[in-house]
Amino acid sequence: MTSPDGRLDEQSSVTIRCQDNSSVGVMFCDRFSFDADSVHYAVELRAPGLSARVDEVVAWIWDSDLTTFLEELAADYRGWDGERSWQTNDRDLMVSAVFRSGGHVGLTWALRPWVQAAGGWGASVTTWLEAGEQMASLAADVRTFLAREQP
């Protein structure tokens, strides 16, 4: 789930913790922007024995929006078959979602910077959230985080 009060903290970050294992999580942080066409931010993955970070994920205004993807998942709280996925234009952040019985969504967050470069790396974690309110709250928090104008 998102940070304890469901809102962005003073560092303007969003933290998603797995409801099955709170030591597994994802954090969006360090948001900045050079122009009106993009938002840059860092993504951190954490799990026992794993800590991975990409410092500059880019959200372009013409790209498919992560918040739209998350909102669609929240709207389908009764479930779906198969896997749904989303990725940034640069493919350095990818998210796939599956629905399991009991009304839970598994989000696999994958970081793969420098996909074309020799020596590139990848890491992923899976967070499980409730399909309804937790997904809707996550979508709202990510939308606020990625907004060009910060509150």
Side-chain angles (χ1 to χ4, degrees):
M1 71 170 52
T2 56
S3 33
D5 63 0
R7 299 283 177 242
L8 296 176
D9 61 21
E10 59 275 1
Q11 289 89 21
S12 293
S13 65
V14 175
T15 300
I16 304 106
R17 287 193 178 84
C18 179
Q19 72 176 23
D20 293 350
N21 181 348
S22 63
S23 66
V24 176
V26 178
M27 184 169 66
F28 289 72
C29 57
D30 299 335
R31 180 200 174 282
F32 65 96
S33 186
F34 293 118
D35 54 42
D37 293 333
S38 64
V39 173
H40 303 246
Y41 55 96
V43 177
E44 295 180 3
L45 305 180
R46 292 204 176 118
L50 172 73
S51 179
R53 177 181 167 113
V54 172
D55 287 318
E56 197 170 337
V57 174
V58 181
W60 297 96
I61 60 169
W62 57 81
D63 272 349
S64 171
D65 189 3
L66 174 58
T67 57
T68 301
F69 174 71
L70 296 172
E71 288 167 349
E72 289 171 356
L73 296 177
D76 288 341
Y77 64 90
R78 289 189 174 100
W80 63 86
D81 292 325
E83 181 178 278
R84 296 181 180 181
S85 61
W86 173 89
Q87 64 186 11
T88 60
N89 189 49
D90 297 332
R91 288 186 232 120
D92 47 2
L93 171 62
M94 295 174 270
V95 183
S96 60
V98 295
F99 187 87
R100 75 174 175 196
S101 61
H104 295 93
V105 176
L107 296 171
T108 299
W109 306 85
L111 296 177
R112 289 183 177 40
W114 316 303
V115 175
Q116 302 299 325
W121 58 270
S124 65
V125 298
T126 300
T127 57
W128 288 94
L129 304 172
E130 291 176 5
E133 282 301 312
Q134 285 185 344
M135 283 301 304
S137 178
L138 172 59
D141 288 351
V142 170
R143 179 170 296 285
T144 300
F145 176 78
L146 292 177
R148 281 188 216 90
E149 297 296 322
Q150 288 291 303

